[in-house]
Amino acid sequence: MLSAPLLVGASFAYLLLLFAVAWYGDHRAQQGRSVIDNAWVYAASMAVYCTAWTYFGSVGRASTSGVWFLPIYLGPTLAMILAWMVVRKMIRIARSYRITSIADFVASRYGKSPTLAGLVTLITVVGIVPYIALQLKAIASGYAVMTTVPGEAVGSPSDWWRDSTLYVALALAGFTMVFGTRHLDTTERHEGMVAAIAFESVVKLIAFIAVGSFVCWSLFDGPADLFGRALDNPDLAPLLGLEQQGRPFAYEQWFALTVLSMLSVVFLPRQFQVMVVENVNERHLRRAVWVFPLYLLLINVFVLPIALGGLLHFGAGNMNAESFVLSLPLDRGWHALALFAFIGGLSAATGMVIVETIAVSTMVCNDLVMPLLLRTRRFGARAAGDLTGILLGIRRAAIVGVMLLGYIYFHVAGEAYALVSIGLISFAAVAQFAPAALGGMYWKGGTRGGALAGLSAGFALWAWTLMLPSIAKSGWMDAAFIAHGPWGIELLKPEQLFGLAGLDNLTHSLFWSLLANIGAYVGVSLWRTPSAAETSQALLFVDVFERTEGSRPVFWRGRAQVADLLPLVARFLGAARAQKLFEDYAAASGVAGVDEIKPDARLVQFVETQLAGAIGSASARVMVASVVEEEALDLDDVMRILDEASQLRAYSHALEEKSQSLERATAELRAANEQLKSLDRLKDDFMSSVTHELRTPLTSIRALSELMVDDPQMDSAQRQHFLGIVVAETERLSRLVNQVLDMAKIESGHAEWHTADVDLRALVLKAIETTHEVFRERGADVTLDAPSAVATLRADPDRLTQVLLNLLSNAAKFVPRGSGRIHVRMRSDDSGITVEVRDNGPGVPVAEHALVFEKFRQGGDGVNRPQGTGLGLPISRQIVEHFGGRMWLESDAGQGACFAFHLPWQIQEGRQAPDNPTANPVQGGQQGGAPQ
Amino acid sequence: MNTPIRSQRLIGLFAAALLLFNFPLLALWDRHALLFGLPLFPTALFLVWGALIALLALVIERTER
Amino acid sequence: MSSKILIADDEPNILVSLEFLMKREGFDVSVARDGVEALAAIREQQPELVLLDVMMPGKSGFEVCQEVRADDALRGVRILMLTAKGRDTDVAKGLALGADAYMTKPFSTRELVQKVREMLG
């Protein structure tokens, strides 16, 4: 045994640690660096599903029924498989409409019905209080096991003020108040609390696995040894099969437990809280859906070994199996491990209690107390005054109230029942929410009446067939009605309703309650068409994925004023928060300030949504309705608004497309304009260049002529020299004029082309001969490498000569004086003829390759700029391209330049078919036989 | 229906899990045999469970194209 | 003593005509065939007047003009820009860079002589 002060001290130290974790989580959240914005933390917080019932109860269950503890964890695994569809939709709905509890979820769906919200809350409180009691019971009995001298009876203290469980309950209530109701938030999120819960999940998992490992490898010689000894024991061997206690496998009960836990893992208030309300990011669900089942698997792996180990160690019936987790290490004197195991159990219990009370207190406050309070004159719609303090007060009172209810239940009734049975009663209660909630998410026909009828019927049957018998069995009331039926009516016997026998209590109750629930829900819903309010909410819920935040239809019509709405929000959220919310709204809708907000349907919806976060959608609806003038909508209005919204969506889609295509057109126009501008600039440059080129020779002609006119006595040699210059410059002028005209003609397509069969080799030879004198003058060497004959081309021989002369004289201008070398190379292949003119001049940097073919862009670095019009290469290129060929430059600075052009055989003159169709094969033949 | 392929896979997996975890497929494992020295039935139950979780992780974490 | 004049132009035929013209008018004439050569000659000879072509290889007339004006030692040098580019922007640019006068090619020899005399007088 351990001393009580040590145990109490350790427990409170652990609670302090929890406080620290929660404080850290809140602190980080305020800094905007959320610790719970993480899929692993999210998954761990889901493990609040595993309570003291798992931690202690599963072992107890396994020690009497073998694998029967498992369906409670297989169900959640099944639920998680579908969670990506179902839970994600719940998260999206809750986020969109600021839904903060399961009661609000159901009520909001069915026209924001306060009655429905109240009913769901009532069911929750009745169903959940025993479950909270269960946790307190676990802590209490764990404490007893830890502090009792072995051999002595485990007893509970007689005086309530000496009962540590009460103090545990009050401590937990304090903790929950601090982190659950510190401030009012319209999303009802508690980052610090979630961080603490995730931390607790890790602690309880590690503690349980530690005990499991201890049992397997310290108490026994490995799992094989443990199971082997269990199989040898005729009392224990059956626990490892399906058949229990000599009865055949009750597969309907197995199935019922699976379905029950599948629903519970979604609809238990604490699961809804951590999974839906506290979800930070929908995408976290993607990881959580498999990590959470993995967690369940891990925490269950050692349940059977611990149960069997305990039974083998202590002998069946000598020790409460539900406390094996503690008693096994204690018995072996492993006190530290026992303490750790106790802390693990404390984790499991406190985690559940904290989240559950927060969730339930929100529901009690928003859906039970507030609607009543707002009806009174003092707090009602017409009253003024800040209600935030009162709201928080109600929440805190609700937390303490729920906790105390749990304590009282534990104290009065808890002793009689095993942990597992209490838990299952709660599960069956929350399963009643499934038809209305799931139906509401996928079926637009469900109505408020249907939901009310279904929930009432289900709840009534649950109470009759499960809750009341359990109370009766714990001795609170006469159990005679169980055996004989009320007033002796056998048909109404709670555990064999209408004579249905052969099922266990739970399956029996689940069958009847869900049957009545679903039947009433569907039946009553189908009885009449949904009202406008129901239809509009149905559309918003079922089609939540089909619209984005901004494009959802707003089902509201009437008149409102900002001056009424702002104070309303301030009453429930505080003046500062309200002002901030309205300022953000103004900014989001693109107006300058709060005063300029348009009080339209969207604003009303915004206000209502914000209020819904604080006081629930039903109360928010009532409050908003009290300050605005509303017009009642009928079904046609709803359908019309929906149509308009869809049309609006279509319009905005079309508008978006249109604006995109306009943008494209604008971009194209801009590009075209740029091109025109640049063409204009080019033309301007061209004119400027031509002017320059014309004026330069004119300058010398005019000056020299005037000199000669002024001085008739000029000596004849001088005069002859001047006249020679005048003639040369005149020739230069003519050449320039010709080339400019030539260029213009080619460019405009008005050039004349005299196409004939051309022997390019002959043309090259002739061109070299023509330029012979020029090269000789510069001391340059010309070599030719050409096939001895090439096939003829269809082209204009004069033009090609012009090209060749151009390239040759170009080369001549750039080669170094005295040591120039020009190499002309000709090659023919299948596609056509290539001519290269390579020189050993300065070459052209790669960056300037494109420029040399532009008009008036002369090569050279300036110092050695040669004489020329700057039109030769552009004209040559135009000519080559006219005959379907191409001209290019291979060169780099310092490497010499190689101008080359390629003319294809199949000449498409001006993109026309060759005028001699038979030419091609003949050419091909000649080319093929051309000797080198 | 143009349900995304991932949702279809998940629904398929759900159906498989529901069948595997219930009568009569569950009863097939209930026989006196040992697997790695452990009793077949609970071991198989946990192995099937683990395999389903692995498959679920595979389906859900695989990016949808 | 006759005034020293430098003629800078890359067109040999224009150089021939200008050199003849200026010599006939009695000036002490030297020539340069590009911008670099022109700047060197200006620094060395400190001519009273430069007839400066704009479009020259090496350094353009604008650049030469700018460098001369940036050099205090060359303050006395007058610059007459000659250009075949007749656009207003070119004229404005030349004057902004510190040229004393501007003439467009082709020019009248009489007007040129008159202008030169004005600038030296």
Side-chain angles (χ1 to χ4, degrees):
Chain A
M1 66 163 277
L2 284 155
S3 73
L6 173 66
L7 204 56
V8 172
S11 303
F12 276 90
Y14 176 70
L15 281 184
L16 276 180
L17 181 62
L18 271 194
F19 267 104
V21 172
W23 180 86
Y24 177 70
D26 269 345
H27 178 67
R28 285 279 297 259
Q30 275 167 6
Q31 292 180 331
R33 297 184 303 139
S34 172
V35 276
I36 71 165
D37 185 8
N38 175 309
W40 297 95
V41 174
Y42 179 60
S45 72
M46 277 190 193
V48 73
Y49 180 77
C50 297
T51 64
W53 173 17
T54 304
Y55 201 83
F56 300 112
S58 282
V59 176
R61 177 99 191 205
S63 67
T64 56
S65 352
V67 292
W68 276 86
F69 66 96
L70 265 183
I72 300 301
Y73 307 96
L74 297 180
T77 304
L78 288 172
M80 284 300 115
I81 296 177
L82 294 182
W84 182 247
M85 281 92 86
V86 180
V87 176
R88 195 162 58 102
K89 191 166 187 177
M90 292 172 89
I91 292 173
R92 183 71 64 89
I93 291 171
R95 176 139 321 149
S96 301
Y97 313 123
R98 294 286 161 108
I99 286 166
T100 56
S101 68
I102 181 72
D104 208 9
F105 189 88
V106 174
S108 177
R109 161 63 181 84
Y110 299 102
K112 305 182 180 173
S113 156
T115 321
L116 209 44
L119 180 62
V120 173
T121 306
L122 199 67
I123 296 176
T124 307
V125 173
V126 174
I128 287 307
V129 163
Y131 202 176
I132 291 175
L134 183 159
Q135 308 304 320
L136 299 177
K137 176 183 153 95
I139 296 174
S141 38
Y143 176 82
V145 168
M146 294 291 283
T147 53
T148 306
V149 180
E152 273 186 26
V154 175
S156 51
S158 45
D159 302 320
W160 63 267
W161 65 85
R162 283 179 56 202
D163 183 0
S164 55
T165 318
L166 176 63
Y167 299 109
V168 169
L170 291 177
L172 287 179
F175 181 91
T176 311
M177 278 194 281
V178 170
F179 287 98
T181 58
R182 281 217 308 194
H183 51 82
L184 268 183
D185 183 28
T186 55
T187 52
E188 210 50 59
R189 301 229 342 253
H190 315 84
E191 296 233 337
M193 189 264 301
V194 173
I197 294 311
F199 173 75
E200 294 210 284
S201 293
V202 176
V203 171
K204 67 193 176 199
L205 179 65
I206 294 174
F208 197 82
I209 288 179
V211 174
S213 306
F214 155 77
V215 170
C216 278
W217 285 283
S218 174
L219 216 53
F220 292 88
D221 196 11
D225 172 47
L226 193 159
F227 281 110
R229 284 162 67 176
L231 284 169
D232 290 343
N233 185 326
D235 289 338
L236 301 187
L239 291 177
L240 295 168
L242 266 177
E243 290 180 17
Q244 297 299 326
Q245 286 139 15
R247 279 187 280 123
F249 176 51
Y251 59 87
E252 70 288 338
Q253 192 187 353
W254 182 279
F255 179 75
L257 284 171
T258 311
V259 171
L260 188 60
S261 55
M262 195 173 109
L263 298 176
S264 302
V265 82
V266 179
F267 294 109
L268 275 169
R270 66 174 188 282
Q271 294 303 124
F272 189 86
Q273 183 76 29
V274 294
M275 213 153 39
V276 178
V277 180
E278 307 280 358
N279 173 278
V280 180
N281 187 332
E282 265 177 34
R283 270 179 305 218
H284 292 167
L285 194 61
R286 181 187 279 212
R287 178 137 315 141
V289 297
W290 65 268
V291 175
F292 173 46
L294 187 63
Y295 181 101
L296 296 178
L297 186 147
L298 290 176
I299 208 167
N300 276 299
V301 164
F302 287 109
V303 168
L304 265 181
I306 293 174
L308 295 172
L311 291 172
L312 285 167
H313 186 76
F314 293 115
N318 293 331
M319 184 65 91
N320 183 1
E322 285 180 351
S323 58
F324 278 168
V325 176
L326 304 176
S327 52
L328 280 173
L330 264 186
D331 193 58
R332 269 303 173 94
W334 288 45
H335 288 161
L337 181 62
L339 185 62
F340 185 37
F342 178 75
I343 296 294
L346 194 64
S347 282
T350 54
M352 179 277 179
V353 172
I354 290 166
V355 186
E356 203 84 84
T357 45
I358 284 180
V360 174
S361 77
T362 306
M363 285 158 74
V364 168
C365 170
N366 288 356
D367 303 315
L368 281 183
V369 181
M370 281 311 277
L372 297 176
L373 209 60
L374 292 175
R375 251 182 238 172
T376 63
R377 188 170 296 180
R378 184 151 168 226
F379 299 104
R382 298 281 158 222
D386 192 335
L387 284 180
T388 51
I390 292 172
L391 267 175
L392 284 176
I394 296 171
R395 300 256 169 111
R396 288 175 185 150
I399 288 173
V400 177
V402 169
M403 206 74 82
L404 285 178
L405 271 180
Y407 173 72
I408 292 166
Y409 188 96
F410 151 72
H411 215 62
V412 177
E415 297 298 324
Y417 253 89
L419 298 180
V420 173
S421 313
I422 302 180
L424 287 176
I425 292 173
S426 292
F427 271 30
V430 296
Q432 304 306 323
F433 304 147
L438 290 176
M441 283 164 64
Y442 293 97
W443 180 41
K444 290 178 192 166
T447 66
R448 173 176 164 275
L452 272 175
L455 279 169
S456 308
F459 180 54
L461 278 166
W462 166 81
W464 180 247
T465 56
L466 205 59
M467 186 71 182
L468 285 180
S470 88
I471 291 174
K473 282 174 190 168
S474 41
W476 265 24
M477 52 193 276
D478 185 11
F481 74 101
I482 301 178
H484 310 293
W487 310 288
I489 305 172
E490 294 266 332
L491 270 184
L492 295 182
K493 278 202 296 192
E495 292 184 343
Q496 276 121 40
L497 197 62
F498 308 121
L500 181 68
L503 292 175
D504 62 286
N505 300 350
L506 183 76
T507 313
H508 172 264
S509 170
L510 204 61
F511 169 76
W512 279 121
S513 61
L514 281 182
L515 180 73
N517 190 332
I518 295 170
Y521 171 63
V522 175
V524 175
S525 290
L526 291 176
W527 191 252
R528 63 169 185 81
T529 49
S531 74
E534 287 162 346
T535 306
S536 56
Q537 287 304 102
L539 287 166
L540 292 177
F541 269 57
V542 176
D543 296 337
V544 71
F545 281 126
E546 288 174 22
R547 293 190 170 82
T548 53
E549 204 74 52
S551 67
R552 291 208 178 92
V554 181
F555 298 104
W556 188 84
R557 211 165 51 187
R559 272 187 311 183
Q561 284 180 338
V562 176
D564 292 329
L565 292 169
L566 182 56
L568 181 70
V569 177
R571 275 184 75 197
F572 295 100
L573 293 174
R577 280 287 308 278
Q579 188 67 27
K580 175 92 174 53
L581 280 173
F582 271 67
E583 275 163 12
D584 291 350
Y585 180 86
S589 39
V591 298
V594 175
D595 299 337
E596 288 177 38
I597 293 176
K598 210 169 117 212
D600 56 3
R602 200 158 282 285
L603 176 71
V604 173
Q605 185 209 29
F606 172 76
V607 167
E608 194 174 324
T609 311
Q610 296 301 323
L611 284 183
I615 57 174
S617 54
S619 298
R621 179 83 281 277
V622 175
M623 285 293 103
V624 168
S626 70
V627 299
V628 299
E629 288 174 48
E630 298 189 330
E631 291 170 36
L633 295 181
D634 60 26
L635 204 53
D636 291 341
D637 295 327
V638 169
M639 294 328 276
R640 215 186 45 248
I641 290 171
L642 182 70
D643 264 5
E644 279 166 11
S646 310
Q647 276 175 12
L648 208 64
R649 197 156 54 124
Y651 283 148
S652 78
H653 190 68
L655 209 62
E656 202 172 298
E657 271 188 357
K658 202 167 268 180
S659 86
Q660 271 172 4
S661 75
L662 265 178
E663 238 164 62
R664 268 199 305 277
T666 313
E668 278 165 18
L669 275 177
R670 192 175 295 130
N673 193 31
E674 282 303 315
Q675 206 180 347
L676 274 179
K677 270 192 196 158
S678 103
L679 275 178
D680 205 40
R681 228 174 5 250
L682 274 180
K683 198 178 154 201
D684 208 31
D685 288 349
F686 178 75
M687 286 311 295
S688 169
S689 302
V690 168
T691 313
H692 182 266
E693 296 304 313
L694 288 172
R695 279 177 172 173
T696 301
L698 274 177
T699 306
S700 21
I701 291 171
R702 181 171 179 185
L704 291 171
S705 309
E706 284 182 7
L707 287 175
M708 287 189 285
V709 168
D710 287 352
D711 182 11
Q713 307 305 319
M714 192 182 284
D715 72 67
S716 70
Q718 183 74 53
R719 185 181 294 266
Q720 210 56 42
H721 178 212
F722 282 0
L723 284 173
I725 293 176
V726 169
V727 169
E729 291 288 21
T730 318
E731 280 170 358
R732 180 174 160 192
L733 265 180
S734 320
R735 203 164 56 235
L736 182 73
V737 169
N738 284 341
Q739 283 199 340
V740 169
L741 286 177
D742 214 18
M743 189 79 212
K745 266 198 225 163
I746 294 174
E747 282 195 336
S748 64
H750 293 308
E752 284 178 42
W753 304 89
H754 303 285
T755 309
D757 285 337
V758 176
D759 179 357
L760 198 55
R761 187 174 187 275
L763 288 191
V764 171
L765 286 172
K766 200 172 131 208
I768 291 174
E769 200 182 309
T770 310
T771 48
H772 177 70
E773 188 57 25
V774 183
F775 288 119
R776 200 188 54 79
E777 213 172 80
R778 281 192 76 100
D781 218 15
V782 184
T783 50
L784 172 68
D785 169 12
S788 52
V790 291
T792 56
L793 286 163
R794 291 290 294 176
D796 185 328
D798 291 342
R799 293 291 191 182
L800 290 188
T801 302
Q802 191 183 347
V803 172
L804 291 166
L805 286 177
N806 211 301
L807 295 185
L808 286 168
S809 56
N810 203 44
K813 282 179 216 161
F814 285 99
V815 290
R817 197 170 280 277
S819 61
R821 271 201 311 282
I822 289 121
H823 185 67
V824 181
R825 191 160 164 269
M826 243 182 117
R827 285 282 176 270
S828 68
D829 58 24
D830 290 347
S831 61
I833 302 181
T834 307
V835 178
E836 292 173 12
V837 179
R838 188 180 295 275
D839 64 48
N840 62 341
V844 183
V846 176
E848 290 174 23
H849 280 196
L851 293 178
V852 301
F853 292 107
E854 280 182 24
K855 286 161 249 173
F856 301 112
R857 297 282 190 157
Q858 295 190 343
D861 56 5
V863 181
N864 303 310
R865 199 182 59 177
Q867 300 298 309
T869 57
L871 283 174
L873 280 173
I875 290 177
S876 300
R877 172 124 108 173
Q878 293 269 7
I879 292 168
V880 169
E881 282 174 0
H882 177 82
F883 290 111
R886 63 199 169 85
M887 179 177 273
W888 68 93
L889 166 63
E890 295 165 14
S891 172
D892 206 347
Q895 303 290 315
C898 175
F899 283 92
F901 67 88
H902 173 87
L903 286 170
W905 298 119
Q906 179 90 40
I907 284 170
Q908 296 190 331
E909 191 187 324
R911 298 212 181 90
Q912 285 162 7
D915 47 2
N916 182 0
T918 59
N920 202 25
V922 174
Q923 283 165 354
Q926 283 179 350
Q927 192 259 340
Q932 290 294 308
Chain B
M1 288 289 284
N2 51 351
T3 315
I5 183 74
R6 177 158 54 198
S7 301
Q8 293 179 38
R9 288 189 186 125
L10 290 172
I11 290 168
L13 194 61
F14 176 79
L18 199 64
L19 288 172
L20 285 169
F21 284 151
N22 278 288
F23 187 83
L25 289 181
L26 191 66
L28 294 182
W29 302 101
D30 190 16
R31 52 189 79 207
H32 297 284
L34 290 179
L35 191 68
F36 317 121
L38 305 173
L40 175 67
F41 178 61
T43 311
L45 204 53
F46 274 95
L47 286 181
V48 170
W49 192 6
L52 278 169
I53 293 170
L55 213 54
L56 174 59
L58 196 72
V59 169
I60 199 88
E61 295 276 357
R62 195 157 69 167
T63 47
E64 200 160 342
R65 280 150 49 85
Chain C
M1 202 188 111
S2 56
S3 304
K4 259 200 272 183
I5 289 184
L6 177 71
I7 305 167
D9 202 313
D10 63 328
E11 283 284 334
N13 292 340
I14 294 180
L15 269 186
V16 166
S17 59
L18 283 177
E19 191 181 0
F20 187 88
L21 178 66
M22 290 299 133
K23 274 184 176 161
R24 193 189 71 185
E25 297 301 318
F27 294 114
D28 182 359
V29 180
S30 53
V31 297
R33 280 175 190 79
D34 61 55
V36 183
E37 199 182 323
L39 202 57
I42 293 171
R43 290 223 159 91
E44 189 191 322
Q45 302 168 9
Q46 303 250 345
E48 284 166 64
L49 181 79
V50 183
L51 296 181
L52 190 58
D53 181 32
V54 171
M55 293 276 281
M56 278 189 300
K59 266 190 167 69
S60 79
F62 289 136
E63 287 167 316
V64 172
C65 182
Q66 204 171 7
E67 287 190 34
V68 169
R69 286 298 172 240
D71 191 341
D72 278 351
L74 303 174
R75 193 171 290 168
V77 177
R78 280 144 207 278
I79 295 174
L80 172 54
M81 297 276 258
L82 298 172
T83 182
K85 288 202 167 183
R87 287 191 294 199
D88 292 345
T89 48
D90 294 321
V91 177
K93 188 175 175 189
L95 293 178
L97 287 173
D100 297 290
Y102 207 99
M103 281 191 90
T104 320
K105 292 176 181 179
F107 42 78
S108 148
T109 46
R110 239 166 262 140
E111 278 174 28
L112 180 66
V113 169
Q114 197 182 344
K115 183 77 119 189
V116 167
R117 287 213 180 282
E118 261 172 38
M119 290 172 74
L120 289 174

